[in-house]
């Protein structure tokens, strides 16, 4: 690992340590979107899988099931290299999380 990569990794790790849970979700959506925009299936898939694995089916059963279906569809689209369609779905959900976060900080 180069010194630049080490510094970047340290910065990113520091950003996540004290981050609000919604901010972590937003970072993961941004990672998935970056993968879609780069047409990097591995990067996009990794982030969507992380989002899927973070679902809490015990506390938020209905919402989790809906999101799981959307994430599965995004993974399918990524597999088919239909990155724009996946990015569109992910952007809509990310923006809803962003709005929820801004209402928390405003209130």
């Amino acid at each position: 690992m180069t010194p630049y990569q080490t510094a970047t990794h340290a910065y990113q790790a520091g950003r996540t340590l004290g981050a609000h849970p919604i901010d972590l979700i937003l970072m993961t959506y941004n990672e998935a979107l970056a993968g879609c925009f780069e047409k990097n299936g591995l990067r996009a898939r990794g982030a969507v899988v992380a989002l899927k694995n973070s679902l809490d089916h015990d506390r938020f059963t209905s919402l989790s099931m809906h999101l799981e279906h959307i994430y599965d569809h995004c993974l399918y689209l990524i597999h088919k290299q239909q990155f724009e369609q996946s990015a569109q779905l992910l952007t809509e959900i990310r923006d809803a999380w962003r709005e929820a976060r801004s209402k928390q900080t405003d209130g």
Side-chain angles (χ1 to χ4, degrees):
M1 193 177 286
T2 68
Y4 173 76
Q5 290 170 319
T6 304
T8 301
H9 179 71
Y11 169 75
Q12 291 171 342
R15 266 184 37 194
T16 61
L17 285 176
H20 187 279
I22 293 178
D23 293 334
L24 294 173
I25 292 168
L26 291 170
M27 287 182 217
T28 308
Y29 274 101
N30 288 337
E31 179 69 14
L33 288 166
C36 287
F37 296 141
E38 294 171 358
K39 298 186 185 328
N40 181 334
L42 188 62
R43 183 176 184 184
R45 183 182 186 285
V48 173
V49 167
L51 289 166
K52 184 176 172 179
N53 289 339
S54 73
L55 294 172
D56 187 344
H57 291 289
D58 294 330
R59 290 183 56 201
F60 307 104
T61 306
S62 180
L63 176 61
S64 291
M65 291 304 296
H66 282 47
L67 287 172
E68 183 172 24
H69 291 302
I70 293 168
Y71 295 152
D72 284 340
H73 186 64
C74 287
L75 291 169
Y76 171 79
L77 292 170
I78 291 165
H79 176 75
K80 294 292 187 182
Q81 298 189 351
Q82 296 175 355
F83 295 104
E84 288 181 29
Q85 294 91 330
S86 183
Q88 184 177 9
L89 289 169
L90 294 168
T91 298
E92 289 179 30
I93 301 168
R94 191 249 349 242
D95 291 349
W97 278 108
R98 185 183 287 160
E99 183 178 333
R101 179 67 173 130
S102 71
K103 287 182 181 180
Q104 274 190 337
T105 57
D106 290 345

